[in-house]
Amino acid sequence: MRDADRTAARPLRRGRLAKALVVCSALVAVGLAYAVLAPQSATGADGPQSQQIEEGRRLFAVGCSSCHGLHAEGGTNGEGRETGPTLIGVGAAAVDFQVSTGRMPAAQTGTQIAQKPPVYTTAEIAALSAYVASLGPGPAVPAEESYDVANATQEEIVRGGELFRTNCTACHNFAGRGGALPHGRYAPSLMQTTPRNMYQAMLTGPQQMPVFSDQVLLPQDKRAVIAYIVALQESEDPGGFPLGRLGPVSEGLWGWAVGIGALVAVAVWIGAKVPRVGRRRTEV
């Protein structure tokens, strides 16, 4: 009986051993394939990108980590107050916009960071953007054809004007000249903003601006809005003095301050020149 049991158990053991060998062989094959393919991708097209990311990491550690944390996790001062938000997941487009417009690095935090000449070169901005993009997925820097409106049609400009007046005039004014917002904030003028930064601002929503993602505002709609703003930048003032293009407010103020003021001055001058006949008769 014992010999029979042993004979019956041998095929089972062999079957289990064969399955284990198949699994081990598959694991070894996968490991060898990864070992062969991984060095090729690391030394191929990703080489320059890795160097750019490393350069961006170095620049970030020197110029940004004091506020945003050494690893872009966000920073706080000794009292627990936030000095800079986390940048993980904001994407390359947000970094390119903030740094290329000179808003970052900021000398000090405040209600709103104003635009100023950029501190970093174009190559350094690209490196910083690549480093932050490597930390987490986010909006990428748009391709040039996305915001190139040199050949925009009149139809696109008109449609862009409709979209701008619907979504943007509450803050930026119907002429794109900016305006005041609550709590000391403001919407900046768009008269000096480049098409690239317009597109990136819509993608990322800097400061108090809402995000207009591709699901909210299609790429072709963003391009139409940019075409309209560029048309505003290039338009002349057929009426003469633009008065900030603020509409009836500035025009009415000009009318009261200058027009009526001039009429009052003329009335006073005329009154001073009229002979005082009644006074002379009383004295006689």
Side-chain angles (χ1 to χ4, degrees):
M1 293 294 294
R2 293 180 180 177
D3 294 338
D5 293 338
R6 291 176 182 176
T7 303
R10 286 176 184 174
L12 295 176
R13 292 176 183 174
R14 291 177 182 175
R16 293 174 183 174
L17 181 61
K19 292 179 180 178
L21 289 175
V22 170
V23 172
C24 291
S25 300
L27 292 175
V28 171
V30 171
L32 291 174
Y34 178 81
V36 171
L37 296 176
Q40 293 179 356
S41 61
T43 58
D46 291 340
Q49 184 179 6
S50 300
Q51 295 176 5
Q52 187 183 47
I53 292 174
E54 179 59 26
E55 174 65 13
R57 187 199 64 78
R58 185 186 65 80
L59 292 170
F60 186 92
V62 174
C64 312
S65 61
S66 59
C67 293
H68 294 285
L70 186 60
H71 303 290
E73 73 278 11
T76 57
N77 58 12
E79 302 175 353
R81 183 179 178 183
E82 184 184 75
T83 57
T86 178
L87 300 181
I88 298 175
V90 301
V95 178
D96 189 274
F97 174 84
Q98 295 287 353
V99 181
S100 65
T101 58
R103 291 179 169 88
M104 292 291 153
Q108 59 183 7
T109 58
T111 304
Q112 184 162 335
I113 308 299
Q115 182 174 353
K116 61 182 184 297
V119 176
Y120 295 100
T121 64
T122 302
E124 290 172 336
I125 294 173
L128 282 169
S129 302
Y131 169 67
V132 173
S134 70
L135 302 177
V141 176
E144 185 176 357
E145 56 267 19
S146 301
Y147 54 83
D148 183 12
V149 295
N151 298 320
T153 64
Q154 187 64 30
E155 181 182 358
E156 287 180 304
I157 295 174
V158 171
R159 185 164 59 87
E162 295 175 352
L163 293 168
F164 184 86
R165 286 186 291 273
T166 302
N167 299 282
C168 313
T169 53
C171 297
H172 288 286
N173 175 274
F174 72 93
R177 296 301 181 98
L181 297 174
H183 309 295
R185 299 175 179 175
Y186 61 91
S189 171
L190 303 176
M191 292 300 100
Q192 303 298 326
T193 307
T194 64
R196 177 189 178 104
N197 283 333
M198 291 180 203
Y199 200 104
Q200 293 182 141
M202 287 186 278
L203 273 181
T204 61
Q207 301 192 70
Q208 67 276 353
M209 180 175 172
V211 176
F212 293 94
S213 65
D214 289 343
Q215 289 72 35
V216 176
L217 199 63
L218 297 175
Q220 59 266 31
D221 293 334
K222 291 186 179 69
R223 185 175 178 274
V225 170
I226 293 172
Y228 172 72
I229 298 174
V230 171
L232 289 179
Q233 293 175 345
E234 298 175 350
S235 64
E236 299 180 353
D237 298 301
F241 195 53
L243 298 175
R245 292 186 179 179
L246 298 178
V249 175
S250 59
E251 294 169 1
L253 180 62
W254 178 265
W256 277 96
V258 178
I260 295 182
L263 291 176
V264 171
V266 170
V268 172
W269 178 79
I270 292 174
K273 294 296 183 180
V274 173
R276 299 181 179 180
V277 179
R279 182 178 179 183
R280 291 179 180 178
R281 289 178 179 179
T282 302
E283 292 177 355
V284 173

